[in-house]
Structures are given as C-alpha cells and as structure tokens.
Amino acid sequence: MAIHTKALINIYIYQGTLASYTDADLKYTLNKDRLPGQEDIVIEIGELIRDYLDNGFNGTEFIPVTRWVTIRAALYGADGNEISGSPKEYNYLAVDGYGMFEDGINPELDRHVLQSNLNIYVPEGQNAKIPVFAESLSYVTFYNSAGGNVGNVTVNDTGNTSQKVQYITVPTNCTKVFFDSVNEDKTVYVNYVCENIYDPVNLTFINKYGAHQQIWFFKKNVKKLSVTDNTFNRNIINISNRDYSINAGQSQRYNVNAKTSISVNTGYVEEEFNAVIEEMLLSEKVWIKQGVQTLPVIPQSKSLQYKTDINDKVQINYSFDFEFAFNKINLVR
C-alpha cells in the first residue's frame, strides 16, 4: 500500500441521523502535508466543531446541541495521485463537553447519566430533571422512600441527534432513580428540601458532558445593584441675564448604567457536590431563574475551596456571587 504524503479533509457537521449529510453540511475543507519523520497526518478538529455547538436555554425546555460529524479524508501519495483505500471516513457524535487534564488526551465522556453527582437536591413539590445519554440506557425505574415502585420510563434511541441526550423528569414522590444500562447500572438519590425562610434560587448550567444541569441554592440570597457613570462640569450661565439657575446642576451625569448581581448559598450538601460546583464555575453558559424569567449570569466567584466532611464537620455549604450578563438599562440596538 502506498504511503500517503498529503490529506484533503472534508468535515461535515449536521443534525438528524448518521450519514444523512448533504453538500450543504460541508463546514470545513482542510489540506495538510505529512510532516517529515511522521507516519500519520494529525489534525485537531475539536475547536472547529465547537463553533457549531452553541447551547442555549429558553427557561423551560432543555434542548442540548448535539451534532453528527463525518470526516472524509482523501489521501494522496508523493506522485499526487489518490492512494488505494482512499477516501477514509470517520464518524463522531459531538456535544459541547470537555475532559480534565488528568483524564489524558481525547477522553471519552460518560455514556450514562450525564452529571457527576448521584445525590441531587430539589425543593419539596419540584420535579428533578436528570440528563442521560440515550444510546446506553434502556429503562429507568422510580422508587419512593418506602422502596415502592412509583413508575418507570423507557429510553428509546432512534439515532437522531435530537434525542441522543434526553432529560428524565422525576416524579415528586420519588427518592431513588434506578438507571438500567447495557454497560453499568446507576442509582441517583433525590433529596427533597423543605425551606420555610428563603425562596430557593434555581440555576441551570452546561456541565462537562455538554448537558443542561440544574442545581438549587436554598439558603440566604441577596441581590445588589452596582451603578456606573461619568460626569462633567457644564457651563450653566445665562449670558443674556448674567445669571444661572440654581436648579440646573453644574455637574452632569452621562453614560449611566448598572449591573445587577446576586449572592446565593447552597445549604448543606454532600461532599460529592464539589464536582458539581467545580463544573458550574467552569461553565461558559449559566442561567438563573428570577420570577417567571430565566436570565443569563456570569459567576463572579473565581476560586473554590473544596470542602470535605472531615474538615467541615459534615456541614458543607457553598456561597457564590453571580452577575447578570447584561446592563440594567437596555443598550441592545
């Protein structure tokens, strides 16, 4: 077999089922020569694909952005002719997730429950939502605190990008959710919190698996308004009357605007919640529900001291500050 010296690579990014792409789905065409002393041609495509994975949230529906990616690589020899076995085709399912440095290069994300914690906290009367990867799951069973079966859900995978990541809505009388997987079974425990003093704050973020994840902050929350402005001294003299009005300020404000922020507290959580907090702080997309509106925020807390049961006497509470990601006075034109 001839050795390839050059590759012409077409990258198709599309929705629907695998291999359903058309010419309109061609997003990138790349050329690269094999480097001297190397046997392979290596191209990093992750950042290119990420341009087409813009997750959003409308406040009611979790709609994860999942795409099929097909790579068609035409390989050429030193004589400029396409070699035998070319083109080669590679297929991937892409989500906007990430691995940690400790995971090594190109880690495979979890193909199961798409969140790091197996204990979740929700207010009494609220439904928990758990993101899952449909390919690996078949059946979800709900149990109450007495161990009784209170319902089940069948997870179907049609191969379409629109349902690869799904969200399981947990009944309000369920305390244990059992996920029956082809590879590994998992159990998620739902803890219902009765909070009689504060109004719990609901936060949604894109986690490391590229899925929407909700967490609640149950304890004290405080909103603040920070105003910015500029001033200048103006001439207020009336030349005709050689006078000025004391009702006209000499100092004049301009470029007045403000940012709103909110400080929140989790309430007591398990030590495993460290992983959730870490992912929330690392997320580029975060939203907080305020009344009937769900608004984008930016974490202002830039550091995290990991809390443990032994250090914090089994009373782990986290406090964070968030700034709403817009000016108070609308400057969108």
Side-chain angles (χ1 to χ4, degrees), residues 12 14 17-21 67-72 88-94 111:
Y12 298 85
Y14 54 98
T17 55
L18 181 61
S20 64
Y21 62 90
R67 299 288 184 267
W68 285 114
V69 179
T70 295
I71 311 294
R72 289 183 59 83
K88 292 184 175 294
E89 185 168 299
Y90 308 88
N91 295 294
Y92 307 96
L93 184 67
R111 290 174 168 265

Side-chain angles (χ1 to χ4, degrees), residues 13 15 30 45 71 87 96 136 158 171 175 230-231 264 285 297-298 304-305 315:
I13 304 174
Q15 302 179 63
L30 309 174
I45 61 173
I71 311 294
D96 191 16
S136 300
T158 65
T175 59
N230 298 104
T231 61
V264 296
K285 299 288 184 68
V297 295
I298 297 174
L304 173 65
Q305 178 178 331
Q315 293 186 342

